[in-house]
Amino acid sequence: MPMKNPERAISYLTGEVHALFMFAQVVARTHPDPSALLAELHEAGQQGLAMLEPLAVQDAAIEGYQFAIDALRKRAEEAAAGSPHI
C-alpha cells in the first residue's frame, strides 16, 4: 500500500513492527523448547545484525534492531526459566 505521507508511512510501519513483535513474544512464551528457541534467536540475531551493518542505514536502524532482539531474547530467557510473563 503506497503512502504519500511520510509520517503516516512511519506510523503504519510502527504498527506493523509492534504486531510482529507481539507475535514473536507469543511464540517465545508458547514454544515447546524455549532453550532451543533462545539458541536459535541468538544465532539469528547475530546473522541479522551482520547482514544489516554493511547496508547504508542510519544508526537508528541498527539501534532499533538491537533493541528488538534484546527484548525478544529477554522473553525467550523468561520462557526458558518458566516465567509466564509476556
Side-chain angles (χ1 to χ4, degrees):
M1 154 186 334
M3 293 188 192
K4 295 180 180 169
N5 180 332
E7 288 180 27
R8 180 164 168 72
I10 290 171
S11 184
Y12 183 87
L13 289 172
T14 299
E16 285 185 317
V17 168
H18 184 69
L20 291 171
F21 187 69
M22 296 308 297
F23 175 74
Q25 289 186 55
V26 169
V27 169
R29 198 173 112 202
T30 61
H31 196 278
D33 188 353
S35 296
L37 177 66
L38 184 58
E40 288 295 325
L41 178 60
H42 177 73
E43 182 68 27
Q46 295 299 317
Q47 289 176 356
L49 186 58
M51 293 170 63
L52 187 61
E53 285 179 332
L55 301 176
V57 297
Q58 295 180 1
D59 288 343
I62 292 174
E63 290 170 14
Y65 178 83
Q66 289 174 323
F67 174 82
I69 290 294
D70 289 344
L72 292 171
R73 184 178 297 117
K74 180 180 177 186
R75 297 302 180 240
E77 288 170 350
E78 289 171 357
S83 175
H85 299 91
I86 284 189

Coordinates of all heavy atoms in Angstrom, one line a residue:
M1 N 0.8 -1.2 0.0 CA 0.0 0.0 0.0 C 0.9 1.2 0.0 O 1.5 1.6 1.0 CB -0.9 -0.1 1.2 CG -1.4 1.2 1.7 SD -2.3 1.3 3.2 CE -3.1 -0.2 3.4
P2 N 1.0 1.9 -1.1 CA 1.8 3.1 -1.2 C 1.2 4.3 -0.4 O 0.0 4.5 -0.4 CB 1.9 3.5 -2.7 CG 0.9 2.6 -3.3 CD 0.4 1.6 -2.4
M3 N 2.1 5.0 0.3 CA 1.6 6.1 1.1 C 2.4 7.3 0.8 O 3.6 7.3 0.7 CB 1.8 5.8 2.6 CG 0.9 4.7 3.1 SD 0.9 4.6 4.9 CE 0.1 3.1 5.1
K4 N 1.7 8.4 0.5 CA 2.4 9.6 0.1 C 2.8 10.5 1.3 O 3.7 11.3 1.2 CB 1.5 10.4 -0.8 CG 1.3 9.7 -2.1 CD 0.4 10.5 -3.0 CE 0.2 9.6 -4.3 NZ -0.8 10.1 -5.2
N5 N 2.2 10.2 2.4 CA 2.5 11.0 3.6 C 3.6 10.2 4.4 O 3.3 9.2 5.0 CB 1.3 11.2 4.5 CG 1.5 12.0 5.7 OD1 2.6 11.9 6.3 ND2 0.5 12.6 6.2
P6 N 4.8 10.8 4.5 CA 5.9 10.0 5.2 C 5.6 9.7 6.7 O 5.9 8.7 7.2 CB 7.1 10.9 5.1 CG 6.8 11.8 4.0 CD 5.3 12.0 3.9
E7 N 4.9 10.7 7.4 CA 4.6 10.5 8.8 C 3.6 9.3 8.9 O 3.7 8.5 9.8 CB 4.0 11.7 9.4 CG 5.1 12.8 9.6 CD 4.5 14.1 10.3 OE1 3.5 14.0 11.0 OE2 5.1 15.1 10.0
R8 N 2.6 9.2 8.0 CA 1.7 8.2 8.1 C 2.4 6.8 7.8 O 2.1 5.8 8.4 CB 0.5 8.4 7.1 CG -0.5 7.3 7.0 CD -1.8 7.8 6.4 NE -2.7 6.7 6.1 CZ -3.4 6.0 7.0 NH1 -3.3 6.3 8.3 NH2 -4.2 5.0 6.7
A9 N 3.3 6.8 6.8 CA 4.0 5.6 6.5 C 4.8 5.1 7.6 O 4.9 3.9 7.9 CB 4.9 5.8 5.2
I10 N 5.5 6.0 8.4 CA 6.3 5.6 9.5 C 5.3 5.1 10.6 O 5.6 4.1 11.3 CB 7.1 6.8 10.0 CG1 8.2 7.1 9.0 CG2 7.7 6.5 11.4 CD1 9.0 8.3 9.3
S11 N 4.2 5.7 10.8 CA 3.3 5.3 11.8 C 2.7 3.9 11.4 O 2.6 3.0 12.3 CB 2.1 6.3 11.9 OG 1.2 5.9 12.9
Y12 N 2.4 3.7 10.2 CA 2.0 2.4 9.7 C 3.0 1.3 10.0 O 2.7 0.2 10.5 CB 1.7 2.5 8.2 CG 1.1 1.2 7.6 CD1 -0.2 1.0 7.6 CD2 2.0 0.3 7.0 CE1 -0.8 -0.2 7.0 CE2 1.5 -0.9 6.4 CZ 0.1 -1.1 6.4 OH -0.4 -2.2 5.9
L13 N 4.3 1.6 9.6 CA 5.4 0.6 9.9 C 5.5 0.4 11.3 O 5.8 -0.8 11.7 CB 6.7 1.1 9.3 CG 6.8 1.1 7.7 CD1 8.0 1.8 7.3 CD2 6.7 -0.3 7.2
T14 N 5.4 1.4 12.2 CA 5.5 1.2 13.6 C 4.4 0.2 14.1 O 4.7 -0.7 14.9 CB 5.3 2.5 14.3 OG1 6.4 3.4 13.9 CG2 5.3 2.4 15.9
G15 N 3.2 0.3 13.6 CA 2.1 -0.6 13.9 C 2.5 -2.0 13.4 O 2.2 -3.0 14.2
E16 N 3.0 -2.2 12.2 CA 3.4 -3.5 11.7 C 4.5 -4.1 12.6 O 4.4 -5.3 13.0 CB 3.9 -3.4 10.3 CG 2.8 -3.2 9.3 CD 3.4 -3.2 7.9 OE1 4.4 -2.7 7.6 OE2 2.7 -3.9 7.0
V17 N 5.5 -3.4 12.9 CA 6.6 -3.9 13.7 C 6.1 -4.3 15.1 O 6.4 -5.3 15.6 CB 7.7 -2.8 13.9 CG1 8.7 -3.2 14.9 CG2 8.4 -2.7 12.5
H18 N 5.2 -3.5 15.7 CA 4.7 -3.8 17.0 C 3.9 -5.1 17.0 O 4.0 -5.9 17.9 CB 3.8 -2.6 17.5 CG 3.3 -2.9 18.9 ND1 4.1 -2.8 20.0 CD2 2.0 -3.1 19.4 CE1 3.4 -3.1 21.1 NE2 2.1 -3.3 20.7
A19 N 3.1 -5.3 15.9 CA 2.3 -6.5 15.8 C 3.2 -7.7 15.7 O 3.0 -8.8 16.3 CB 1.3 -6.4 14.6
L20 N 4.2 -7.6 14.9 CA 5.2 -8.7 14.7 C 5.9 -9.0 16.0 O 6.2 -10.1 16.3 CB 6.2 -8.4 13.6 CG 5.5 -8.4 12.2 CD1 6.5 -7.9 11.1 CD2 5.1 -9.8 11.8
F21 N 6.3 -7.9 16.7 CA 7.0 -8.1 18.0 C 6.1 -8.8 19.0 O 6.5 -9.7 19.7 CB 7.4 -6.7 18.5 CG 8.2 -6.7 19.7 CD1 9.5 -7.2 19.6 CD2 7.7 -6.3 20.9 CE1 10.3 -7.2 20.8 CE2 8.5 -6.3 22.1 CZ 9.8 -6.8 22.0
M22 N 4.8 -8.5 19.0 CA 3.9 -9.1 20.0 C 3.7 -10.6 19.6 O 3.7 -11.5 20.4 CB 2.5 -8.4 20.0 CG 2.6 -7.0 20.5 SD 3.4 -6.9 22.2 CE 2.3 -7.8 23.2
F23 N 3.7 -10.9 18.3 CA 3.6 -12.3 17.8 C 4.8 -13.1 18.2 O 4.7 -14.2 18.7 CB 3.4 -12.3 16.3 CG 3.4 -13.7 15.7 CD1 2.3 -14.6 15.9 CD2 4.5 -14.2 15.1 CE1 2.4 -15.9 15.4 CE2 4.6 -15.5 14.6 CZ 3.5 -16.3 14.7
A24 N 6.0 -12.4 18.1 CA 7.2 -13.1 18.4 C 7.3 -13.4 19.9 O 7.8 -14.5 20.4 CB 8.4 -12.3 18.1
Q25 N 6.7 -12.5 20.8 CA 6.6 -12.8 22.2 C 5.7 -14.0 22.5 O 6.0 -14.8 23.4 CB 6.2 -11.5 22.9 CG 7.2 -10.4 22.9 CD 6.8 -9.3 23.8 OE1 6.5 -9.4 25.0 NE2 6.8 -8.1 23.2
V26 N 4.6 -14.1 21.8 CA 3.7 -15.2 22.0 C 4.4 -16.5 21.6 O 4.3 -17.5 22.3 CB 2.4 -15.0 21.2 CG1 1.6 -16.3 21.2 CG2 1.6 -13.9 21.7
V27 N 5.2 -16.5 20.5 CA 5.9 -17.7 20.1 C 6.9 -18.1 21.1 O 7.0 -19.2 21.5 CB 6.6 -17.4 18.7 CG1 7.6 -18.5 18.4 CG2 5.6 -17.3 17.6
A28 N 7.6 -17.1 21.7 CA 8.6 -17.4 22.7 C 8.0 -18.0 23.9 O 8.5 -18.9 24.5 CB 9.4 -16.1 23.1
R29 N 6.8 -17.5 24.3 CA 6.1 -17.9 25.5 C 5.5 -19.3 25.3 O 5.4 -20.0 26.3 CB 5.1 -16.9 25.9 CG 4.6 -17.1 27.3 CD 3.7 -16.0 27.7 NE 2.4 -16.6 27.8 CZ 1.2 -15.9 27.8 NH1 1.2 -14.7 27.5 NH2 0.1 -16.6 28.0
T30 N 5.2 -19.7 24.1 CA 4.5 -20.9 23.9 C 5.3 -22.0 23.2 O 4.8 -23.1 23.0 CB 3.2 -20.7 23.1 OG1 3.5 -20.2 21.8 CG2 2.2 -19.8 23.9
H31 N 6.5 -21.7 22.9 CA 7.4 -22.6 22.2 C 7.7 -23.9 23.0 O 7.9 -23.8 24.2 CB 8.7 -21.9 21.8 CG 9.5 -22.7 20.8 ND1 10.3 -23.8 21.1 CD2 9.6 -22.5 19.5 CE1 10.9 -24.2 20.0 NE2 10.5 -23.5 19.0
P32 N 7.6 -25.1 22.5 CA 7.8 -26.3 23.2 C 9.2 -26.5 23.8 O 9.4 -27.2 24.8 CB 7.4 -27.4 22.3 CG 7.6 -26.8 20.9 CD 7.3 -25.3 21.1
D33 N 10.2 -25.8 23.2 CA 11.6 -25.9 23.7 C 12.2 -24.5 23.8 O 12.9 -24.1 22.9 CB 12.4 -26.8 22.8 CG 13.7 -27.2 23.3 OD1 14.1 -26.6 24.3 OD2 14.4 -28.0 22.7
P34 N 11.9 -23.8 24.8 CA 12.4 -22.4 24.9 C 13.9 -22.3 24.9 O 14.4 -21.3 24.4 CB 11.8 -21.9 26.3 CG 10.7 -22.8 26.6 CD 11.0 -24.1 25.9
S35 N 14.6 -23.3 25.4 CA 16.1 -23.2 25.4 C 16.6 -23.3 23.9 O 17.5 -22.6 23.6 CB 16.7 -24.4 26.2 OG 16.3 -24.2 27.6
A36 N 16.0 -24.2 23.1 CA 16.4 -24.2 21.7 C 16.0 -22.9 21.0 O 16.8 -22.5 20.1 CB 15.7 -25.4 21.0
L37 N 14.8 -22.4 21.3 CA 14.4 -21.1 20.7 C 15.4 -20.0 21.1 O 15.8 -19.2 20.2 CB 13.0 -20.8 21.2 CG 12.5 -19.4 20.7 CD1 12.3 -19.4 19.2 CD2 11.2 -19.1 21.4
L38 N 15.8 -20.0 22.3 CA 16.8 -19.0 22.7 C 18.1 -19.1 21.9 O 18.7 -18.1 21.5 CB 17.1 -19.1 24.2 CG 18.0 -18.1 24.9 CD1 17.5 -16.7 24.7 CD2 18.1 -18.4 26.4
A39 N 18.6 -20.3 21.8 CA 19.8 -20.6 21.0 C 19.7 -20.1 19.5 O 20.5 -19.5 19.0 CB 20.2 -22.0 21.1
E40 N 18.5 -20.5 18.9 CA 18.3 -20.1 17.6 C 18.1 -18.5 17.4 O 18.6 -17.9 16.5 CB 17.0 -20.7 17.0 CG 17.2 -22.2 16.8 CD 18.1 -22.5 15.6 OE1 18.2 -21.7 14.7 OE2 18.9 -23.5 15.8
L41 N 17.5 -17.9 18.4 CA 17.3 -16.5 18.4 C 18.7 -15.8 18.5 O 18.9 -14.8 17.8 CB 16.4 -16.0 19.6 CG 16.2 -14.5 19.7 CD1 15.6 -13.9 18.5 CD2 15.4 -14.2 21.0
H42 N 19.6 -16.3 19.3 CA 20.9 -15.8 19.4 C 21.6 -15.8 18.1 O 22.2 -14.8 17.6 CB 21.7 -16.5 20.5 CG 23.1 -16.0 20.6 ND1 23.4 -14.8 21.1 CD2 24.3 -16.5 20.2 CE1 24.7 -14.6 21.1 NE2 25.3 -15.6 20.5
E43 N 21.6 -17.0 17.4 CA 22.2 -17.2 16.1 C 21.6 -16.3 15.1 O 22.3 -15.6 14.3 CB 22.1 -18.6 15.7 CG 22.8 -18.9 14.4 CD 24.3 -18.8 14.4 OE1 24.9 -19.0 15.5 OE2 24.9 -18.5 13.4
A44 N 20.3 -16.2 15.0 CA 19.6 -15.4 14.0 C 19.9 -13.9 14.3 O 20.0 -13.1 13.3 CB 18.1 -15.7 14.0
G45 N 19.9 -13.5 15.6 CA 20.2 -12.1 15.9 C 21.6 -11.7 15.4 O 21.7 -10.6 14.9
Q46 N 22.6 -12.6 15.6 CA 23.9 -12.3 15.1 C 24.0 -12.2 13.5 O 24.6 -11.3 13.0 CB 24.9 -13.3 15.6 CG 25.1 -13.3 17.1 CD 25.6 -12.0 17.6 OE1 26.5 -11.4 17.0 NE2 25.0 -11.5 18.7
Q47 N 23.3 -13.1 12.9 CA 23.3 -13.1 11.4 C 22.5 -11.9 10.9 O 23.0 -11.3 9.9 CB 22.6 -14.4 10.9 CG 23.4 -15.7 11.1 CD 22.7 -16.9 10.7 OE1 21.5 -16.9 10.3 NE2 23.4 -18.0 10.8
G48 N 21.4 -11.6 11.5 CA 20.7 -10.4 11.0 C 21.5 -9.1 11.2 O 21.4 -8.3 10.3
L49 N 22.2 -9.0 12.3 CA 23.0 -7.8 12.5 C 24.1 -7.8 11.5 O 24.4 -6.7 10.9 CB 23.5 -7.8 13.9 CG 24.3 -6.5 14.3 CD1 23.4 -5.3 14.2 CD2 24.8 -6.7 15.8
A50 N 24.7 -8.9 11.2 CA 25.8 -8.9 10.2 C 25.3 -8.5 8.8 O 26.1 -7.9 8.1 CB 26.4 -10.3 10.2
M51 N 24.1 -8.9 8.5 CA 23.5 -8.5 7.2 C 23.1 -7.1 7.2 O 23.1 -6.4 6.1 CB 22.3 -9.4 6.9 CG 22.7 -10.9 6.7 SD 21.2 -12.0 6.7 CE 20.4 -11.4 5.2
L52 N 22.7 -6.5 8.3 CA 22.2 -5.1 8.4 C 23.4 -4.1 8.4 O 23.3 -3.0 7.8 CB 21.4 -4.9 9.6 CG 20.6 -3.6 9.8 CD1 19.7 -3.4 8.7 CD2 19.9 -3.6 11.1
E53 N 24.5 -4.4 9.1 CA 25.5 -3.5 9.3 C 26.2 -2.9 8.0 O 26.5 -1.8 7.9 CB 26.6 -4.0 10.2 CG 26.1 -4.0 11.7 CD 27.1 -4.6 12.6 OE1 27.9 -5.5 12.2 OE2 27.1 -4.2 13.8
P54 N 26.4 -3.8 7.0 CA 27.0 -3.2 5.8 C 26.1 -2.3 4.9 O 26.6 -1.7 4.0 CB 27.5 -4.4 5.0 CG 27.0 -5.6 5.7 CD 26.3 -5.2 6.9
L55 N 24.8 -2.4 5.2 CA 23.9 -1.6 4.4 C 24.0 -0.1 4.8 O 24.4 0.2 5.9 CB 22.5 -2.0 4.6 CG 22.2 -3.5 4.3 CD1 20.7 -3.8 4.6 CD2 22.5 -3.7 2.8
A56 N 23.6 0.8 3.9 CA 23.7 2.2 4.2 C 22.4 2.6 5.0 O 21.5 3.2 4.4 CB 23.8 3.0 2.9
V57 N 22.4 2.2 6.2 CA 21.2 2.5 7.1 C 21.7 3.5 8.2 O 22.9 3.5 8.5 CB 20.6 1.3 7.7 CG1 20.0 0.4 6.7 CG2 21.6 0.5 8.6
Q58 N 20.8 4.2 8.7 CA 21.1 5.1 9.8 C 21.4 4.2 11.1 O 20.9 3.1 11.2 CB 19.9 6.0 10.1 CG 19.6 7.0 9.0 CD 18.5 7.9 9.3 OE1 17.9 7.8 10.3 NE2 18.1 8.7 8.3
D59 N 22.1 4.8 12.0 CA 22.4 4.2 13.3 C 21.1 3.8 14.0 O 21.1 2.8 14.7 CB 23.3 5.1 14.2 CG 24.7 5.2 13.7 OD1 25.1 4.4 12.8 OD2 25.4 6.2 14.1
A60 N 20.1 4.6 13.8 CA 18.8 4.3 14.5 C 18.3 2.9 14.1 O 17.6 2.2 14.9 CB 17.8 5.4 14.2
A61 N 18.5 2.5 12.8 CA 18.0 1.2 12.3 C 18.7 0.1 13.1 O 18.1 -0.9 13.5 CB 18.2 1.1 10.8
I62 N 20.0 0.2 13.3 CA 20.8 -0.8 14.0 C 20.4 -0.8 15.5 O 20.2 -1.8 16.1 CB 22.3 -0.6 13.8 CG1 22.6 -0.9 12.3 CG2 23.1 -1.5 14.7 CD1 24.0 -0.6 11.9
E63 N 20.2 0.4 16.0 CA 19.8 0.5 17.4 C 18.4 -0.1 17.6 O 18.2 -0.9 18.6 CB 19.7 2.0 17.9 CG 21.1 2.6 18.0 CD 21.0 4.1 18.2 OE1 19.9 4.6 18.5 OE2 22.1 4.7 18.1
G64 N 17.5 0.1 16.7 CA 16.2 -0.5 16.8 C 16.2 -2.0 16.7 O 15.5 -2.7 17.4
Y65 N 17.0 -2.5 15.8 CA 17.2 -3.9 15.6 C 17.7 -4.5 16.9 O 17.2 -5.5 17.4 CB 18.2 -4.2 14.4 CG 18.4 -5.7 14.2 CD1 17.6 -6.4 13.5 CD2 19.6 -6.3 14.8 CE1 17.8 -7.8 13.3 CE2 19.8 -7.6 14.6 CZ 18.9 -8.4 13.9 OH 19.1 -9.7 13.7
Q66 N 18.8 -3.9 17.5 CA 19.4 -4.5 18.7 C 18.4 -4.4 19.8 O 18.3 -5.3 20.6 CB 20.7 -3.7 19.0 CG 21.8 -4.1 18.0 CD 23.0 -3.3 18.3 OE1 23.0 -2.1 18.6 NE2 24.2 -3.9 18.1
F67 N 17.6 -3.3 19.9 CA 16.6 -3.2 21.0 C 15.6 -4.4 20.9 O 15.2 -5.0 21.9 CB 15.9 -1.9 20.9 CG 14.7 -1.8 21.9 CD1 15.0 -1.4 23.2 CD2 13.4 -2.0 21.4 CE1 13.9 -1.3 24.1 CE2 12.4 -1.9 22.3 CZ 12.6 -1.6 23.6
A68 N 15.1 -4.6 19.7 CA 14.1 -5.6 19.4 C 14.6 -7.0 19.7 O 14.0 -7.8 20.4 CB 13.5 -5.6 18.0
I69 N 15.8 -7.3 19.3 CA 16.5 -8.6 19.5 C 16.7 -8.8 21.0 O 16.4 -9.9 21.5 CB 17.8 -8.8 18.7 CG1 17.5 -8.9 17.2 CG2 18.6 -9.9 19.2 CD1 16.7 -10.2 16.8
D70 N 17.2 -7.8 21.7 CA 17.4 -7.9 23.1 C 16.1 -8.2 23.9 O 16.0 -9.0 24.8 CB 18.1 -6.6 23.7 CG 19.5 -6.5 23.3 OD1 20.1 -7.5 22.8 OD2 20.0 -5.4 23.4
A71 N 15.0 -7.5 23.5 CA 13.7 -7.7 24.1 C 13.2 -9.1 23.9 O 12.7 -9.7 24.8 CB 12.7 -6.6 23.7
L72 N 13.3 -9.6 22.6 CA 12.9 -10.9 22.3 C 13.8 -12.0 23.0 O 13.2 -13.0 23.5 CB 13.0 -11.2 20.8 CG 11.9 -10.4 20.0 CD1 12.2 -10.5 18.5 CD2 10.5 -10.8 20.4
R73 N 15.0 -11.7 23.2 CA 15.9 -12.6 23.9 C 15.5 -12.7 25.4 O 15.4 -13.7 26.0 CB 17.4 -12.1 23.8 CG 18.3 -13.1 24.5 CD 19.8 -12.7 24.3 NE 20.2 -12.7 22.9 CZ 20.6 -11.6 22.2 NH1 20.6 -10.4 22.8 NH2 20.9 -11.6 21.0
K74 N 15.1 -11.5 25.9 CA 14.6 -11.5 27.3 C 13.4 -12.4 27.5 O 13.3 -13.1 28.4 CB 14.4 -10.1 27.8 CG 13.9 -10.0 29.2 CD 13.6 -8.5 29.6 CE 13.0 -8.5 31.0 NZ 12.6 -7.1 31.3
R75 N 12.5 -12.2 26.5 CA 11.2 -13.0 26.6 C 11.5 -14.5 26.5 O 11.0 -15.4 27.1 CB 10.2 -12.6 25.5 CG 9.7 -11.2 25.6 CD 9.1 -11.0 27.0 NE 8.6 -9.6 27.1 CZ 9.0 -8.7 28.0 NH1 9.9 -9.1 28.9 NH2 8.6 -7.5 28.0
A76 N 12.5 -14.9 25.6 CA 12.9 -16.3 25.4 C 13.5 -16.8 26.7 O 13.3 -17.9 27.1 CB 13.7 -16.4 24.2
E77 N 14.4 -16.0 27.3 CA 15.0 -16.4 28.5 C 14.0 -16.6 29.6 O 14.1 -17.5 30.4 CB 16.0 -15.3 29.0 CG 17.3 -15.3 28.1 CD 18.2 -14.1 28.4 OE1 17.7 -13.1 29.1 OE2 19.3 -14.0 27.9
E78 N 13.0 -15.7 29.7 CA 11.9 -15.9 30.7 C 11.1 -17.2 30.4 O 10.8 -17.9 31.4 CB 10.9 -14.7 30.6 CG 11.5 -13.4 31.2 CD 10.7 -12.2 30.9 OE1 9.6 -12.3 30.3 OE2 11.1 -11.1 31.4
A79 N 10.9 -17.5 29.2 CA 10.2 -18.7 28.8 C 11.0 -19.9 29.2 O 10.5 -20.9 29.7 CB 9.8 -18.7 27.3
A80 N 12.3 -19.8 29.0 CA 13.2 -20.9 29.3 C 13.3 -21.2 30.8 O 13.4 -22.3 31.3 CB 14.6 -20.7 28.7
A81 N 13.1 -20.1 31.5 CA 13.1 -20.2 33.0 C 11.8 -20.5 33.6 O 11.6 -20.7 34.8 CB 13.6 -18.8 33.6
G82 N 10.8 -20.6 32.7 CA 9.4 -21.0 33.2 C 8.6 -19.8 33.6 O 7.5 -20.0 34.2
S83 N 9.0 -18.6 33.3 CA 8.2 -17.4 33.7 C 7.0 -17.3 32.8 O 7.1 -17.3 31.6 CB 9.0 -16.2 33.6 OG 8.3 -15.0 33.9
P84 N 5.8 -17.0 33.3 CA 4.6 -16.9 32.5 C 4.4 -15.5 32.0 O 3.4 -15.3 31.3 CB 3.5 -17.3 33.5 CG 4.0 -16.8 34.8 CD 5.5 -17.1 34.7
H85 N 5.2 -14.6 32.2 CA 5.0 -13.2 31.8 C 5.3 -12.9 30.3 O 6.2 -13.5 29.8 CB 5.9 -12.2 32.6 CG 5.5 -12.3 34.1 ND1 6.2 -13.2 34.9 CD2 4.6 -11.7 34.9 CE1 5.7 -13.1 36.1 NE2 4.8 -12.2 36.1
I86 N 4.6 -12.0 29.7 CA 4.8 -11.6 28.4 C 5.7 -10.3 28.5 O 5.5 -9.5 29.3 CB 3.6 -11.3 27.6 CG1 3.0 -12.6 27.1 CG2 3.9 -10.4 26.4 CD1 1.8 -12.5 26.1

